Amino acid sequence: MTTAKRDTYTPETLLTVAVRVFNERGYDGTSMEHLSKAAGISKSSIYHHVSGKEELLQRAVSRALDELFAILDEEHARAGRSVDRLEHVVRRMVEVLIAELPYVTLLLRVRGNTATERWALERRRDFDHRVAELLKAAAADGDVRGDIEVRLATRLVFGMINSIVEWYRPEARGASGREVADAVTRLVLAGLRQA
Amino acid sequence: MTTAKRDTYTPETLLTVAVRVFNERGYDGTSMEHLSKAAGISKSSIYHHVSGKEELLQRAVSRALDELFAILDEEHARAGRSVDRLEHVVRRMVEVLIAELPYVTLLLRVRGNTATERWALERRRDFDHRVAELLKAAAADGDVRGDIEVRLATRLVFGMINSIVEWYRPEARGASGREVADAVTRLVLAGLRQA
DNA sequence: AGAGTAACCGAACGATCGGTCGGGACAAGG
DNA sequence: CCTTGTCCCGACCGATCGTTCGGTTACTCT
């Protein structure tokens, strides 16, 4: 029983199209008409696969959040010196962000207009706090410079990492995911580590 | 002839309200009904002051762009060693971003759905290129590390700076504008400068 | 007081929004 | 062959979109 169906849409394949359009036009700027044009099926047919526009958003941001939270469960993020665990998390965040680029992009742009968006914002805050605690622990160990506030540094580092979604394009072979992860890790840790 | 009118709206004061709402709900997610509620006047009254929704966006992003471009004309951005001019521009970008927070926030979120948005994106790209050339010159002087591509570093630095709009709130006395500018400049330059 | 005008309003415009509905095309299984 | 269920469609729903319009209020100037 292999998946030998006709080339028809599933909720997953439809999501791929929807997320692309959401990122191009913004979630609010995307109508179901836009989605139907991009998917090549009628507007009403979309409702055969998903309950509506918001379910597509929910599926997309959930996927991104799950991948990000999974980083914190990895071995190198749980054991070892705090500053090294932080380095691992930073590197993996960049890698996940690039591997799941459209989904993370959408996640980082939600504004909180609907219940789904507010739920996503809340989970994002949870994740941020977990990483902030890592940086705080590294500071307590004396492994990062003391002349920049931990809270401020966390936000700036997140800002740099998250900004990748604004310019990274996998098709344009400017820099591979690994190269970007290297550069970010080097730049951030060089700026943070105790001289 | 001082401006001793009644407390009535002008295009400028209306813009202040509109930009606030745009940032809360997103431009596409904001209806003229939302604006009228926030401004305390009727929907149709808004059209007495401005030609429509898009003019408000145009005024806002123009203001942000003008302030940013003005940085490049400042003396410290035009004379001296490239790496020092870069440091000055980075610091001033943070300061302008904080001083004109709502306007720059809106600018950084345009997606390109309308002609106005596409024009804003183009001017932003111009600004980015100007700063990238500064970093390139500093690299040619041997003042910044050579193991990170200039193009990549530019984008990451812009990412860190621009991310400030996502969390900085002037009313919450967490860190003053100057403190943030200090931290960013230190973090960025420590990561960039040749060891 | 009267004229002029800036500021504002409620009602309504056509267009588009997200979503619903009844039914048709088509492949699979008997 | 006929049923069954998946997949899809055009037509349409009430609501809301950005915008327009005719008209009223309220302030300024003479």
Side-chain angles (χ1 to χ4, degrees):
Chain A
M1 205 214 278
T2 58
T3 50
K5 292 278 197 69
R6 281 279 139 253
D7 59 338
T8 181
Y9 276 111
T10 67
E12 284 75 27
T13 56
L14 191 57
L15 182 63
T16 306
V17 177
V19 169
R20 199 193 71 230
V21 182
F22 284 161
N23 283 329
E24 284 169 2
R25 314 187 62 98
Y27 178 72
D28 284 319
T30 302
S31 70
M32 296 305 276
E33 189 69 35
H34 290 137
L35 291 185
S36 83
K37 287 281 203 296
I41 62 175
S42 76
K43 208 172 52 152
S44 48
S45 294
I46 295 176
Y47 290 88
H48 177 72
H49 302 287
V50 294
S51 67
K53 194 180 172 185
E54 197 162 356
E55 184 187 328
L56 290 165
L57 179 65
Q58 160 77 29
R59 281 174 179 268
V61 298
S62 287
R63 173 161 165 174
L65 284 164
D66 288 347
E67 296 276 350
L68 285 173
F69 271 98
I71 295 174
L72 301 176
D73 293 331
E74 293 172 357
E75 193 188 337
H76 287 82
R78 297 162 50 88
R81 208 168 173 77
S82 287
V83 68
D84 295 326
R85 291 161 63 190
L86 176 67
E87 176 166 346
H88 178 259
V89 169
V90 167
R91 166 177 297 278
R92 290 286 295 127
M93 277 181 67
V94 177
E95 289 174 358
V96 164
L97 189 143
I98 285 177
E100 305 289 327
L101 195 65
Y103 303 93
V104 181
T105 301
L106 196 53
L107 170 68
L108 294 179
R109 287 182 185 160
V110 304
R111 307 273 355 124
N113 289 343
T114 68
T116 298
E117 296 185 45
R118 285 187 288 274
W119 168 83
L121 286 176
E122 199 181 321
R123 286 203 68 190
R124 258 187 70 189
R125 268 197 299 274
D126 285 349
F127 182 79
D128 292 10
H129 285 156
R130 298 277 296 272
V131 180
E133 280 167 19
L134 221 49
L135 179 53
K136 194 151 88 180
D141 293 345
D143 287 333
V144 305
R145 59 193 297 173
D147 61 342
I148 298 179
E149 209 196 338
V150 167
R151 187 164 184 75
L152 183 52
T154 305
R155 283 170 156 161
L156 292 173
V157 170
F158 265 96
M160 176 177 283
I161 294 174
N162 290 344
S163 75
I164 294 173
V165 303
E166 300 298 332
W167 53 264
Y168 186 81
R169 294 296 170 264
E171 68 275 12
R173 284 270 118 219
S176 75
R178 182 159 292 275
E179 282 169 335
V180 175
D182 278 348
V184 171
T185 310
R186 236 178 283 144
L187 212 51
V188 165
L189 272 297
L192 277 181
R193 275 188 199 272
Q194 188 69 270
Chain B
M1 203 216 277
T2 57
T3 48
K5 293 276 198 71
R6 281 278 139 251
D7 60 336
T8 180
Y9 276 111
T10 67
E12 285 75 27
T13 57
L14 190 57
L15 182 62
T16 305
V17 177
V19 168
R20 200 194 70 229
V21 182
F22 284 161
N23 283 330
E24 284 169 2
R25 314 186 63 98
Y27 178 72
D28 285 318
T30 302
S31 70
M32 295 304 275
E33 189 70 34
H34 290 137
L35 291 186
S36 84
K37 287 283 202 297
I41 62 176
S42 76
K43 214 168 47 150
S44 50
S45 293
I46 296 176
Y47 290 87
H48 177 71
H49 301 287
V50 293
S51 68
K53 195 180 170 185
E54 198 163 354
E55 185 188 328
L56 289 165
L57 180 65
Q58 160 77 30
R59 282 174 180 269
V61 297
S62 287
R63 172 161 165 173
L65 284 164
D66 288 348
E67 296 277 350
L68 284 173
F69 271 99
I71 294 174
L72 301 176
D73 293 331
E74 293 171 357
E75 195 189 336
H76 287 82
R78 298 160 49 87
R81 207 166 174 79
S82 287
V83 69
D84 295 327
R85 291 160 63 190
L86 176 66
E87 176 167 344
H88 178 259
V89 169
V90 167
R91 167 178 297 278
R92 290 285 296 127
M93 276 181 67
V94 177
E95 290 174 357
V96 164
L97 189 143
I98 286 178
E100 305 289 327
L101 195 67
Y103 303 93
V104 180
T105 301
L106 196 54
L107 171 68
L108 293 179
R109 286 183 185 160
V110 305
R111 307 286 338 137
N113 289 344
T114 68
T116 297
E117 296 186 46
R118 284 186 289 275
W119 168 83
L121 285 175
E122 198 180 323
R123 285 203 68 190
R124 259 188 70 188
R125 268 196 299 273
D126 285 349
F127 182 80
D128 292 8
H129 284 155
R130 298 275 296 274
V131 179
E133 280 167 19
L134 221 48
L135 180 53
K136 194 150 88 181
D141 294 345
D143 287 333
V144 304
R145 59 195 296 172
D147 61 342
I148 297 178
E149 208 196 341
V150 167
R151 188 166 183 72
L152 184 51
T154 305
R155 285 173 154 158
L156 292 173
V157 170
F158 265 94
M160 176 177 283
I161 295 174
N162 290 344
S163 74
I164 293 172
V165 303
E166 301 297 334
W167 53 264
Y168 186 81
R169 295 295 170 264
E171 68 276 10
R173 285 268 117 218
S176 73
R178 181 159 293 273
E179 283 169 336
V180 175
D182 279 347
V184 172
T185 310
R186 236 179 282 145
L187 212 52
V188 165
L189 273 295
L192 277 181
R193 276 191 199 269
Q194 187 70 271

